[in-house]
Amino acid sequence: MARAPRDAPDSEQLTVGPPQTHSVGLPAVANAMAYALEGMGPARTLKVLSHLNQKDGLDCMSCAWPDPGHTGRAEFCENGARAVTWEANPLTVPTTFWAEHPVTDLLERSEYWLGQQGRLVEPVHKPAGSDHYVPISWADAFALVADRLRGLDSPDQAAFYTSGRTANETAFVYQLFVRAFGTNNLPDCSNMCHESTGAAMGETLGIGKSTIAYDDFAQADLIIVMGQNPGTNHPRMLTALEAAKRNGAAIVTVNPLPEAGLRRYKNPQTVRGVLGRGTELADQFVQIRSGGDMALLQWVSKRVLEAEDRHPGTVLDHEFLAEHTLGLDALRTHLGVLDEQEVLAATGLTIAEMDELADRYLAADRVIITWAMGITQHRKGVDTIKEIVNLLLLRGNIGRPGAGASPIRGHSNVQGDRTMGIWERMPETFLEALAAEFSFAPPRRHGLDSVGSIQAMQRGEIKVWFALGGNLVAAISDTAAAEAAMRGTELTVQVSTKLNRSHAVTGAEALILPTLGRTDVDLQASGPQFVSVEDTVCAVHATHGPLSPPSDTLLSEISIVTRLARAVLGDDGPVDWAGFERDYDAIRASISRVVPGFEDFNERIRVKGGFVLPNGPRDSRTFPTATGKAMITVNELVPVECPPGRLILQTIRSHDQFNTTIYSLNDRYRGIRHGRDVVFVNPDDLLDLGLADGDRVDVFSEWRDEPDRELRDLRVVAYPTSRGCAAAYFPEANALVPLSSTAIGSNTPASKAVVVRLERRAR
Ligand SMILES: Nc1nc2c(c(=O)[nH]1)N[C@H]1C(S)=C(S)[C@@H](COP(=O)(O)OP(=O)(O)OC[C@H]3O[C@@H](n4cnc5c(=O)[nH]c(N)nc54)[C@H](O)[C@@H]3O)O[C@H]1N2
Ligand SMILES: Nc1nc2c(c(=O)[nH]1)N[C@H]1C(S)=C(S)[C@@H](COP(=O)(O)OP(=O)(O)OC[C@H]3O[C@@H](n4cnc5c(=O)[nH]c(N)nc54)[C@H](O)[C@@H]3O)O[C@H]1N2
Ligand SMILES: [Mo]
């Protein structure tokens, strides 16, 4: 099976140095400016960076971290500047490219190379049986997709993917089109990301979103950062952590890796940060074994209950528990028999380390727990998040200033897309509101998620794959299986800003529809348009593209979706698609009647800084669960199984990538340069395995009785990760993640827990 080559040509140059202990500071700002200037030139750089994350400006697409309430100062990070530059670089893919590069040639190119080719500016079509994309007119492209969709036996033979950069207005018209067409097959990147969060919080708190506001960080006494690498993936979060720290908060990080940003942070916005040693952020680093978080959380909760037994009436928040929760007694019984040996084995920690965390939790009045992929992408990810909720509920750490449960989301609008209906299982209340607004009957049968879509392709049930952004074949597990499945479809359509692997691995017939990006001015018949996004703490605000688009042939995503809807469904239906395209206010008017919390959307989105969505647990300790109470749950501890001689491999992001987009082959904070083909292993494990730093190995993943998956020729890097654990870079290491190894209850690929065997290559 052909596979994306992993590296650009200089991979022979791979060097490994010591990991860094601090992050950000001057080098990062200098890097950001250098990228921007080199990529965009001075005029575009000034325009973009002065708008970035400012009120009424351009929302950075690099993560869903919120914008603080103030204005005026520079509010971007190195990686944000890079993400923006990647899109706003004026280089475009020329028409001659398609004749020079058949699909078989694109298949030989790395993600890095594909991303370097520039912005896509013309629609192209690869006819069935042909090895070449050729330019096609927009009208013909829409007619072609409409023809193939209308030719299906059932609307469920098509699936419509969304990546989390899609804005609210776009997501709303897109899901409307898909449901009007007749299916709930709306897989999205969230299925691979925070789906476990939504499942766990939905069941226990009644809402799958953060229960804190931005200002809560500054008021917390204790912030526990679990399974998250903010120094690379949410760099602006470090500023909030630093501020909390200055106000006296303690910070604990729980991670198998000693990530740079969580140790010393040099704030590039302050003189002390730039010139000094920076702030030591973490008061305690809990170096947990992969997948051990659930056991750790149960241990801490057990300690809290024991403290209450010793000092009755003083430890638990009895009033809160009685009024707002159910399930305390069952938890007490369950944790009463928690097996110490099992906890020690699962966490790899000492009792002293776990008790230190418990003492910190007990001493703190206001506690926030944040988490990301190190928690969600595990077989027991959903249950682990339920244990986070349990621990917080015990002392009433939800719905109070400075306290709460805060998933930190990834893509800049992945949360808003869900709010707008991008979900294969939207609740009945939403579908009813949609039906009332547009006078049609949305389908009720649940659709396919991301893993489910690949499995449906394997069964031959999906004929048309339509993707609004993203790069599914690279982002989903088991690359070989996913690529084979995608090739079995009849038509694949990618709406994209830039080339990626998903343009090379296609159905029999394929289309690439290029689109405006977030940095581009979006001009429609009624004038320039803006769109909106929702950040990780539920604040909604507008984003305006400040730059002239790379080509005037480009269409906005909303133009593409509405024109496609007209081509497929005609113009006499109940939806005024043309009106939506002409003026996005018309879309917002409909959203205000369909989506709770968006009343008077058009007025409120024009207020500088936007507005914050209502949130029952945060605002009033109301919990819209099935029982109307916050649910304390009992979750069975199941340790991550790892047979002798094997390691638990996690797949992570380098500092120089955004998901499947590779900006450079460096990972500065971890000491890696000019290459990505590495596997990080604890030196003691290397000894046990008879391996050494610098060895070349083939990596095999073992899952049930399936044949091994393999990734060949990685360089072993001795690295201070937890014992028994290893790490390699996503997306390359997706070759190793079994498709059916997913989190129980959310179906999110367990891409942080792959059982692997390392075999030394002959020299
Ligand atoms: N620059 C940049 N920014 C990004 C992205 C990007 O690729 N580049 N991606 C965006 C997206 S979509 C997302 S979802 C976020 C992702 O943000 P993160 O979740 O920070 O991303 P990962 O690289 O997957 O890092 C997972 C972290 O969890 C730790 N971890 C792994 N297993 C465990 C475990 O069992 N227990 C604990 N406690 N920790 C564990 C890892 O060591 C690592 O530090 O970032 C967003 N922002
Ligand atoms: N093994 C492993 N797998 C993972 C993860 C992991 O940690 N480990 N993380 C998972 C996570 S958290 C996520 S969120 C997914 C990400 O999965 P995806 O969202 O599918 O992947 P991205 O790499 O973010 O998509 C990048 C592509 O989006 C397109 N694009 C960029 N901007 C725009 C735009 O404005 N409009 C349009 N239409 N297209 C645009 C570009 O063509 C670019 O190549 O991957 C998941 N996969
Ligand atoms: Mo994500």
Side-chain angles (χ1 to χ4, degrees), residues 405-606:
S406 194
I408 305 296
R409 288 217 147 72
H411 263 300
S412 56
N413 198 43
V414 63
Q415 185 161 318
D417 290 345
R418 274 295 161 89
T419 309
M420 291 297 129
I422 302 293
W423 196 22
E424 70 281 358
R425 293 178 283 144
M426 277 312 272
E428 184 58 27
T429 46
F430 178 89
L431 299 177
E432 273 166 15
L434 206 60
E437 172 72 10
F438 297 106
S439 316
F440 79 111
R444 294 320 209 258
R445 203 161 80 92
H446 285 174
L448 296 165
D449 63 9
S450 292
V451 168
S453 293
I454 298 291
Q455 289 167 333
M457 286 176 196
Q458 290 177 327
R459 296 189 299 268
E461 291 168 10
I462 296 295
K463 309 247 181 275
V464 177
W465 173 257
F466 187 101
L468 192 59
N471 184 8
L472 186 84
V473 290
I476 194 91
S477 329
D478 201 338
T479 314
E483 294 195 347
M486 193 63 78
R487 289 197 169 91
T489 60
E490 289 172 7
L491 170 69
T492 50
V493 185
Q494 301 283 333
V495 180
S496 310
T497 51
K498 285 206 173 183
L499 277 176
N500 63 41
R501 181 77 181 165
S502 293
H503 303 116
V505 180
T506 69
E509 191 179 17
L511 277 169
I512 303 175
L513 306 180
T515 188
L516 294 177
R518 192 164 303 163
T519 54
D520 299 319
V521 171
D522 180 357
L523 192 62
Q524 299 290 354
S526 72
Q529 305 294 314
F530 67 89
V531 288
S532 66
V533 292
E534 174 184 343
D535 67 30
T536 200
V537 291
C538 313
V540 179
H541 57 89
T543 172
H544 304 250
L547 298 178
S548 53
S551 155
D552 52 17
T553 54
L554 282 176
L555 297 181
S556 75
E557 289 178 324
I558 288 177
S559 292
I560 292 172
V561 173
T562 52
R563 291 184 195 192
L564 179 62
R566 293 167 70 186
V568 176
L569 305 169
D571 271 321
D572 345 311
V575 183
D576 180 10
W577 301 105
F580 281 166
E581 181 184 8
R582 192 177 318 114
D583 184 352
Y584 299 175
D585 275 0
I587 305 173
R588 281 184 285 269
S590 277
I591 292 173
S592 70
R593 291 184 291 265
V594 172
V595 187
F598 283 81
E599 298 76 17
D600 303 320
F601 192 10
N602 273 312
E603 292 79 65
R604 289 194 294 155
I605 196 64
R606 286 181 163 80

Side-chain angles (χ1 to χ4, degrees), residues 288-309:
I288 197 157
R289 224 184 137 224
S290 182
D293 304 79
M294 185 172 164
L296 171 69
L297 288 156
Q298 291 195 345
W299 181 269
V300 175
S301 287
K302 181 184 161 87
R303 287 299 199 224
V304 172
L305 293 169
E306 287 168 355
E308 170 71 18
D309 292 342

Side-chain angles (χ1 to χ4, degrees), residues 193-527:
C193 183
H194 265 294
E195 194 73 57
S196 302
T197 298
M201 290 182 76
E203 181 185 328
T204 54
L205 300 175
I207 183 165
K209 301 179 180 184
S210 174
T211 74
I212 66 166
Y214 185 84
D215 293 339
D216 283 315
F217 280 101
Q219 300 176 54
D221 299 323
L222 173 66
I223 301 172
I224 307 177
V225 180
M226 302 189 81
Q228 196 201 340
N229 179 19
T232 284
N233 297 314
H234 306 90
R236 290 182 300 123
M237 179 175 173
L238 300 184
T239 308
L241 292 178
E242 192 195 35
K245 181 112 192 155
R246 230 180 289 117
N247 290 347
I251 293 169
V252 176
T253 78
V254 185
N255 203 307
L257 292 174
E259 303 284 30
L262 296 170
R263 297 165 78 185
R264 186 167 292 122
Y265 171 52
K266 296 180 154 197
N267 187 341
Q269 320 278 359
T270 68
V271 174
R272 195 169 60 107
V274 171
L275 301 177
R277 281 172 50 76
T279 311
E280 193 75 55
L281 273 186
D283 296 86
Q284 187 189 356
F285 168 39
V286 182
Q287 189 162 24
I288 197 157
R289 224 184 137 224
S290 182
D293 304 79
M294 185 172 164
L296 171 69
L297 288 156
Q298 291 195 345
W299 181 269
V300 175
S301 287
K302 181 184 161 87
R303 287 299 199 224
V304 172
L305 293 169
E306 287 168 355
E308 170 71 18
D309 292 342
R310 283 196 304 278
H311 306 284
T314 64
V315 174
L316 302 184
D317 186 338
H318 290 280
E319 215 175 297
F320 171 78
L321 288 167
E323 195 181 337
H324 295 292
T325 71
L326 288 177
L328 176 62
D329 290 342
L331 181 72
R332 199 190 287 277
T333 310
H334 185 240
L335 296 186
V337 294
L338 184 62
D339 186 281
E340 183 178 302
Q341 289 312 314
E342 214 178 306
V343 172
L344 291 174
T347 59
L349 300 168
T350 62
I351 289 183
E353 287 173 294
M354 296 190 290
D355 283 353
E356 182 184 336
L357 178 58
D359 290 343
R360 289 180 183 281
Y361 182 76
L362 285 165
D365 214 25
R366 301 161 168 214
V367 181
I368 291 174
I369 302 182
T370 75
W371 68 92
M373 297 304 103
I375 299 296
T376 63
Q377 296 175 337
H378 275 286
R379 291 278 290 159
K380 293 289 273 182
V382 176
D383 282 357
T384 305
I385 297 159
K386 289 192 202 168
E387 294 293 352
I388 292 176
V389 170
N390 281 346
L391 178 60
L392 290 170
L393 289 174
L394 287 179
R395 284 176 45 84
N397 273 310
I398 298 238
R400 271 199 291 129
S406 194
I408 305 296
R409 288 217 147 72
H411 263 300
S412 56
N413 198 43
V414 63
Q415 185 161 318
D417 290 345
R418 274 295 161 89
T419 309
M420 291 297 129
I422 302 293
W423 196 22
E424 70 281 358
R425 293 178 283 144
M426 277 312 272
E428 184 58 27
T429 46
F430 178 89
L431 299 177
E432 273 166 15
L434 206 60
E437 172 72 10
F438 297 106
S439 316
F440 79 111
R444 294 320 209 258
R445 203 161 80 92
H446 285 174
L448 296 165
D449 63 9
S450 292
V451 168
S453 293
I454 298 291
Q455 289 167 333
M457 286 176 196
Q458 290 177 327
R459 296 189 299 268
E461 291 168 10
I462 296 295
K463 309 247 181 275
V464 177
W465 173 257
F466 187 101
L468 192 59
N471 184 8
L472 186 84
V473 290
I476 194 91
S477 329
D478 201 338
T479 314
E483 294 195 347
M486 193 63 78
R487 289 197 169 91
T489 60
E490 289 172 7
L491 170 69
T492 50
V493 185
Q494 301 283 333
V495 180
S496 310
T497 51
K498 285 206 173 183
L499 277 176
N500 63 41
R501 181 77 181 165
S502 293
H503 303 116
V505 180
T506 69
E509 191 179 17
L511 277 169
I512 303 175
L513 306 180
T515 188
L516 294 177
R518 192 164 303 163
T519 54
D520 299 319
V521 171
D522 180 357
L523 192 62
Q524 299 290 354
S526 72

